[in-house]
Amino acid sequence: MVTDIYTERLHLRKMHINDSPSLFKIWSDPDVTKFMNIDNFQDKSQAKEIISYLNELAEDEKAIRYSIIELTSGDIIGSCGFNSLDFDNEKAEIGYELAKSHWGKGYAPEAIDGLLDYAFNTLKLNRIEAKVEPENINSIKVLEKLHFIYEGTLRQSEKSKGRFIDLNMYSLLRTEKRL
């Protein structure tokens, strides 16, 4: 699998363990982790552990996570990737988060668009899914901007932070991707 994806302003690079200090800062922010299925990190070792786990999934081609690097500064500003890859059914689920200081600048749609190009053109996937809590309005706006289709609400679909949560299912098919 490709370990580097470039967009106009971003470099998506497969996560490295040495990304952990930058990602810890992002993942320790309760505003960033509010809609993630993790509690905000309290210890730097947690970032190393999650990166190691994600890299194991990548080795098995079950998932891949990228650090989002701003080209002009070289700073890691978030992460994104395929939370699950299902090559038998030619589909994947995406996930993403950005440092709060970079919200509202168009980085999330740009990063996800890079993932979509890779998914549809290189991996030859047919469907990309995203599951979002209904209250996560900013993430829903990102998906709508990229023309994802709302398919419905999965009621009490997953347990997150000790409670069952609803998830809105969005998808985009290869035939719907706008160039």
Side-chain angles (χ1 to χ4, degrees):
M1 259 190 286
V2 149
T3 57
D4 293 280
I5 298 169
Y6 288 91
T7 68
E8 183 181 341
R9 301 178 295 162
L10 303 172
H11 173 199
L12 310 183
R13 177 184 40 74
K14 184 176 176 269
M15 279 186 182
H16 298 149
I17 203 76
N18 59 356
D19 296 344
S20 63
S22 297
L23 291 168
F24 171 75
K25 289 178 190 171
I26 296 166
W27 294 334
S28 63
D29 184 337
D31 289 332
V32 172
T33 61
K34 181 178 181 179
F35 295 110
M36 294 173 66
N37 61 356
I38 60 169
D39 289 317
N40 57 301
F41 287 1
Q42 304 296 318
D43 187 271
K44 292 180 181 177
S45 65
Q46 291 174 285
K48 289 182 180 178
E49 289 170 13
I50 197 80
I51 291 168
S52 294
Y53 172 72
L54 292 167
N55 284 339
E56 287 175 24
L57 292 175
E59 290 295 320
D60 295 335
E61 294 191 343
K62 294 180 180 176
I64 187 167
R65 196 78 175 181
Y66 298 92
S67 293
I68 302 172
I69 302 165
E70 186 181 42
L71 285 174
T72 55
S73 69
D75 293 338
I76 294 174
I77 63 169
S79 81
C80 65
F82 302 107
N83 295 344
S84 64
L85 289 160
D86 179 351
F87 290 107
D88 290 338
N89 293 298
E90 297 179 17
K91 69 179 182 174
E93 179 189 325
I94 59 166
Y96 46 92
E97 79 284 329
L98 287 176
K100 190 167 37 178
S101 60
H102 289 82
W103 290 0
K105 298 179 181 179
Y107 288 121
E110 183 175 335
I112 299 310
D113 199 44
L115 285 179
L116 293 172
D117 286 341
Y118 176 57
F120 291 136
N121 297 323
T122 303
L123 297 179
K124 302 298 185 197
L125 299 179
N126 181 60
R127 175 184 167 92
I128 302 299
E129 299 175 344
K131 293 186 262 185
V132 184
E133 288 186 50
E135 299 82 17
N136 191 347
I137 302 303
N138 290 335
S139 189
I140 290 170
K141 286 179 182 176
V142 167
L143 297 171
E144 289 174 345
K145 182 175 185 175
L146 294 168
H147 309 288
F148 275 72
I149 304 297
Y150 169 71
E151 295 185 336
T153 300
L154 306 171
R155 299 176 314 128
Q156 297 187 8
S157 174
E158 292 180 9
K159 200 168 186 180
S160 179
K161 301 175 186 172
R163 64 183 181 87
F164 288 104
I165 59 168
D166 294 347
L167 291 170
N168 286 352
M169 174 64 83
Y170 288 84
S171 70
L172 186 70
L173 304 179
R174 182 185 324 164
T175 56
E176 297 166 338
K177 171 73 169 101
R178 297 186 183 175
L179 302 175

